[in-house]
Amino acid sequence: MNSTSHALPHATAGAAYHLTSHAFGTGDFRRKVYIQAGLHADETPGMMVALTLLEQLRGLEAAAKLRSEIVLVCNANPLGLSQWLFGAPVGRFDFASGRNYNRDFPMLAGKIAAVLEGKLTQDANENLVVIRQAWKAALTALQPATLFDGLQRQLMLLAHDADVVLDLHCSREAAMHIYTGQAIWAKAEPLARYLGAVASLLAYDSGASSFDEAQSLTWWQLQQQFGAYYPIPTGTVSVTVEHRGQRDVSYDMAQRDAQAIIDYLTHQGFIDGIAPPLPELAGPATPLAGSEQFLAPASGILVHRAQLGDVIEVGQPLFDVIDTTSGVTTTVHSKTCGVFYMRRDVRYVKHGDPLGRVTGATSQRTGKLLGA
Ligand SMILES: [Zn+2]
């Protein structure tokens, strides 16, 4: 294992921030896997999984079982981990700018395309190399203006040339679910099976420019532009994994999820061995645009009427909001048939607050599909 400390630019006077990456199986491998956790810095379940992987990968490397380079970042956001408010860690948004750490990553398909003129051939493998070189050059040329931009650029530099990118997160209160690209679903599906994901939410472009989309969507965009003339491979299969809710931290769950990732990488040939038989999908893949989002119809005490992972029928009551002055209860019913995969962790809400989501088989929403 080679560990590298990457200094992040533009820290304020007297402060310093470093990102640490661990590379396993470095050598003559042609393929690469990149795994990070904690981009939203207060989401510790994913970090627990990454730390479990750290130990497992040490063992696999010592046993000469790796068939690819695997780069692991257990704490992808040292900036967010330094943010505290009234005694609690707050790692989803940058205090300085209000920006969500997993939004608006640099989308560089345009800059990559601009330098591909005359370089693409009828050989998909050659095109893969040429595109990755152009991508690295475009990332290197970025001039980050802030700590936030410098962190995003460094994470992209570590991940952009990987064949598989896994970004480990969690939700507020949730069952295991994943987000990934519609175009790469066939290659991500075994991961959903091993993880036991009750929901796999697919989009070509969610409009969020999240970390996973900054990888796989770039390939899809290049395929749209050049695919009629040249073979453009799908260079990266990238997935955001939501390891349940923020409080779902245990050794058992971390061990289970880390093993699921090892099984997936074994199944895909990145690790030597025979993967366990693929389990059934725990829930069908559905369009991200089909998920129904529920908003509080009033201010009051939030009482959940459904359990995470439940299959919900149309008309089923999901939430009660109780007015704390009058005692009047307003009930929110589902208009969708699907899986109840995430909900809020607070028990008092104000009018218009998001309450939770149920998957839906039919696309309903347009525009930006992910909230703040
Ligand atoms: Zn997150």
Side-chain angles (χ1 to χ4, degrees):
M1 180 182 82
N2 281 326
S3 298
T4 306
S5 178
H6 311 270
L8 299 177
H10 308 315
T12 50
Y17 292 97
H18 292 82
L19 194 69
T20 302
S21 63
H22 307 293
F24 298 87
T26 48
D28 205 17
F29 295 121
R30 291 195 170 172
R31 299 206 296 168
K32 174 178 169 181
V33 174
Y34 176 80
I35 303 170
Q36 72 175 27
L39 177 56
H40 287 143
D42 50 2
E43 296 179 356
T44 45
M47 285 191 268
M48 280 284 286
V49 174
L51 291 166
T52 307
L53 285 170
L54 183 67
E55 285 307 307
Q56 293 184 332
L57 291 171
R58 277 193 182 117
L60 289 165
E61 184 180 55
K65 293 280 191 184
L66 300 183
R67 293 292 173 266
S68 64
E69 181 185 11
I70 300 180
V71 175
L72 179 66
V73 175
C74 300
N75 164 18
N77 187 356
L79 315 182
L81 268 190
S82 72
Q83 297 183 156
W84 292 78
L85 186 67
F86 305 135
V90 182
R92 185 175 182 83
F93 301 97
D94 171 34
F95 274 1
S97 64
R99 293 169 68 187
N100 183 322
Y101 281 110
N102 194 23
R103 299 287 185 272
D104 302 320
F105 271 85
M107 302 300 294
L108 297 175
K111 287 186 176 176
I112 295 167
V115 298
L116 290 180
E117 187 76 31
K119 293 183 178 172
L120 295 174
T121 68
Q122 295 305 317
D123 185 325
N125 290 328
E126 284 182 11
N127 294 340
L128 181 85
V129 173
V130 165
I131 289 169
R132 283 181 174 162
Q133 287 171 344
W135 200 340
K136 185 175 184 179
L139 284 166
T140 306
L142 291 177
Q143 300 281 330
T146 64
L147 258 173
F148 184 104
D149 295 334
L151 174 68
Q152 287 197 332
R153 174 177 173 271
Q154 183 59 61
L155 294 172
M156 290 287 295
L157 278 167
L158 287 166
H160 75 283
D161 57 352
D163 301 277
V164 167
V165 169
L166 303 182
D167 192 14
L168 312 187
H169 287 249
C170 70
S171 191
R172 303 301 172 118
E173 291 181 359
M176 170 67 79
H177 61 284
I178 68 169
Y179 296 92
T180 192
Q182 177 80 56
I184 55 174
W185 167 237
K187 290 184 176 175
E189 195 231 33
L191 177 65
R193 289 176 182 249
Y194 283 122
L195 285 168
V198 301
S200 297
L201 302 152
L202 311 183
Y204 282 100
D205 182 359
S206 76
S209 300
S210 58
F211 184 72
D212 78 277
E213 284 193 327
Q215 324 299 326
S216 56
L217 181 59
T218 299
W219 287 101
W220 188 77
Q221 290 170 334
L222 292 170
Q223 284 167 347
Q224 302 310 301
Q225 185 165 350
F226 297 108
Y229 315 102
Y230 302 102
I232 307 295
T234 297
T236 308
V237 173
S238 53
V239 182
T240 295
V241 183
E242 302 283 348
H243 293 271
R244 308 177 192 82
Q246 272 179 312
R247 295 183 188 178
D248 292 324
V249 175
S250 77
Y251 292 113
D252 281 350
M253 282 189 278
Q255 185 67 38
R256 197 184 317 156
D257 294 353
Q259 189 59 49
I261 290 170
I262 296 289
D263 290 342
Y264 172 66
L265 297 178
T266 306
H267 182 268
Q268 298 291 303
F270 294 100
I271 295 172
D272 193 26
I274 298 171
L278 278 172
E280 292 292 313
L281 262 182
T286 53
L288 179 56
S291 288
E292 183 174 3
Q293 296 190 89
F294 303 92
L295 304 178
S299 300
I301 296 170
L302 172 63
V303 181
H304 291 292
R305 300 275 300 268
Q307 299 301 311
L308 291 163
D310 282 357
V311 175
I312 304 299
E313 301 299 329
V314 173
Q316 185 172 335
L318 294 180
F319 312 97
D320 284 344
V321 179
I322 307 170
D323 186 292
T324 55
T325 304
S326 65
V328 170
T329 297
T330 310
T331 300
V332 179
H333 301 83
S334 181
K335 297 188 185 72
T336 310
C337 174
V339 177
F340 186 41
Y341 64 97
M342 65 174 284
R343 68 187 194 187
R344 290 295 299 280
D345 53 347
V346 294
R347 295 297 181 264
Y348 183 82
V349 292
K350 63 184 186 318
H351 185 277
D353 278 352
L355 302 177
R357 292 187 182 190
V358 169
T359 63
T362 309
S363 294
Q364 307 278 357
R365 297 180 292 130
T366 55
K368 288 200 171 189
L369 299 176
L370 291 171

